[in-house]
Amino acid sequence: RPVGDGVRLDDLPLREDLRGRTPYGAPQLDVPVRLNTNENPYPPPPELVADVAAAAGEVARNLHRYPDRDAVALREDLAAYLAGSTGVPLTAANVWAANGSNEILQQLLQAFGGPGRVALGFEPSYSMHPIIAAGTRTEWMPAPRREDFSLDAVEAAKVVAERRPDVLFVTSPNNPTGQSIPPEDLREIVAAAPGVVVVDEAYAEFSTWPSAVGLLDEFGDRLVVSRTMSKAFAFAGGRLGYLAAAPALVDALQLVRLPYHLSVLTQAAARAALRHADATLASVARLVAERGRVVDALSGMGFQVVPSDANFVLFGRFQDAATVWRSYLEHGVLVRDVGIAGHLRVTIGTPEENDAFLTASEEISR
Ligand code: PMP
């Protein structure tokens, strides 16, 4: 038995506000078809793998030294990618990077949230937003979406003007529901916000709507656009998230980031992956086409499908989503119960994975 296993969680002098909480985490089960965490189903191409291995070998010769604390070369590469895809002339000074966009969001709340401060988000949305708020002791204030999960911009702007959150989260496309927010609607909400507005664009590459990066020139005093390489870039295991904002905002995060938070291996691997962006991002069109096929097939079986701009779809309605989740598992398909009554979320996979999911759905719909 492990040393110290007589000690129970309740015996520890844990912060009162963390007592009784459960950790975030989708089940990591060994199932043939895993469509539960919105990863890119296509593994990196062999050229990318070789380039990452070579880059890791190169920097390994300097592992006795700390990495570039400011990750300048990586930020230059990320800025070039974002500038290229949005048409906004961003430079490294506009970009900050961390171990996944979760760490980006945490640093933002460390700097702009915290005790005595409030973060607001429109639910249902990404469940880590309130969890990171809790970890940084930022009060979480949920606000509603419409019945159909879309965001009413007029209502949202009103709520923001009334509640005056220090940090506002807008997720676009929204996880787990899938819709994007049009830039005109976003402008209305950002204009009403007195604090920092974090637009979480983890799934932006899958959406046809323009990025909020286009609003940075107008709202540089408050707007932050968060991105990740975990989804479209097929780099979830590499752990690389980033943001675009005014340089002053990037400066603010230097006050809370841990020194050398991005290892030399992470920086080198991410840069190598970015050199193959064209190849990895080619999967986006394939996944969007498959999303259309999955949505049509589910609708044809009588399911209600929430319109999606992302690499997943929310569908229902079920008497008991938890029971249906288990039925999928029995068919060898892992989907996600995101806690929305009557609904489940499925990530778009390879055509073969989607076929397995649809075959299971067919049987479940009977
Ligand atoms: N934001 C949203 C909306 C997400 O869905 C996710 C991943 N599930 C993240 C951020 C965090 O992803 P990562 O830390 O891998 O960048």
Side-chain angles (χ1 to χ4, degrees):
R1 64 183 191 87
V3 172
D5 77 343
V7 181
R8 291 167 314 130
L9 186 55
D10 286 343
D11 299 332
L12 301 175
L14 187 66
R15 269 165 41 186
E16 286 304 329
D17 60 306
L18 294 180
R19 284 185 193 275
R21 287 186 183 263
T22 45
Y24 171 90
Q28 291 192 306
L29 302 176
D30 191 12
V31 170
V33 179
R34 287 181 294 170
L35 302 174
N36 68 329
T37 49
N38 299 345
E39 294 150 321
N40 193 318
Y42 294 104
E47 313 79 65
L48 188 160
V49 174
D51 216 4
V52 166
E58 190 65 33
V59 296
R61 294 191 287 117
N62 276 313
L63 276 175
H64 60 307
R65 299 292 184 194
Y66 282 114
D68 174 7
R69 206 170 41 219
D70 298 326
V72 174
L74 171 59
R75 286 161 61 202
E76 279 167 359
D77 294 350
L78 291 166
Y81 160 68
L82 255 195
S85 61
T86 62
V88 178
L90 301 166
T91 71
N94 297 111
V95 171
W96 181 241
N99 295 284
S101 53
N102 282 329
E103 189 180 24
I104 289 284
L105 301 176
Q106 177 165 277
Q107 292 180 348
L108 285 164
L109 283 178
Q110 285 176 317
F112 298 103
R117 292 193 163 207
V118 171
L120 186 148
F122 303 99
E123 296 190 339
S125 188
Y126 182 40
S127 58
M128 276 306 293
H129 294 160
I131 292 173
I132 298 172
T136 58
R137 302 200 62 178
T138 311
E139 186 190 331
W140 179 253
M141 198 178 270
R145 290 173 170 269
R146 291 193 186 102
E147 281 286 291
D148 68 359
F149 305 119
S150 63
L151 193 55
D152 180 335
V154 175
E155 205 43 50
K158 218 163 82 189
V159 164
V160 169
E162 277 168 18
R163 312 260 185 97
R164 305 188 61 76
D166 300 281
V167 180
L168 172 67
F169 286 100
V170 182
T171 315
S172 181
N174 188 48
N175 177 16
T177 63
Q179 303 105 320
S180 300
I181 175 159
E184 280 319 305
D185 285 2
L186 185 60
R187 172 182 277 117
E188 209 165 318
I189 296 167
V190 177
V196 168
V197 182
V198 181
V199 183
D200 185 338
E201 290 192 350
Y203 303 95
E205 284 88 353
F206 299 101
S207 172
T208 45
W209 288 97
S211 167
V213 165
L215 296 174
L216 273 179
D217 202 26
E218 195 177 338
F219 295 106
D221 60 337
R222 70 195 89 165
L223 186 61
V224 183
V225 182
S226 168
R227 290 281 190 116
T228 183
M229 289 181 67
S230 295
K231 314 295 178 181
F233 275 102
F235 199 69
R239 307 306 298 131
L240 204 290
Y242 56 105
L243 63 74
L249 200 129
V250 173
D251 291 346
L253 297 186
Q254 309 309 306
L255 302 172
V256 296
R257 60 106 180 93
L258 295 175
Y260 318 112
H261 67 301
L262 282 177
S263 80
V264 285
L265 295 165
T266 300
Q267 294 186 38
R271 295 192 67 203
L274 283 167
R275 287 196 287 276
H276 298 271
D278 288 348
T280 37
L281 293 178
S283 64
V284 169
R286 266 177 280 161
L287 292 168
V288 167
E290 278 292 298
R291 180 181 73 204
R293 183 172 78 91
V294 168
V295 168
D296 290 348
L298 283 176
S299 305
M301 293 172 204
F303 291 100
Q304 284 176 34
V305 187
V306 179
S308 173
D309 287 324
N311 65 335
F312 54 83
V313 290
L314 189 71
F315 67 107
R317 303 198 58 122
F318 308 110
Q319 281 285 2
D320 178 10
T323 303
V324 180
W325 180 85
R326 271 191 301 279
S327 307
Y328 276 107
L329 197 55
E330 280 154 21
H331 284 86
V333 180
L334 186 57
V335 296
R336 187 77 168 265
D337 182 353
V338 288
I340 301 179
H343 291 78
L344 293 170
R345 190 193 70 191
V346 63
T347 304
I348 303 302
T350 62
E352 297 71 32
E353 290 171 329
N354 300 332
D355 284 343
F357 163 72
L358 291 173
T359 302
S361 301
E362 183 83 62
E363 284 164 31
I364 285 167
S365 72
R366 285 203 209 108

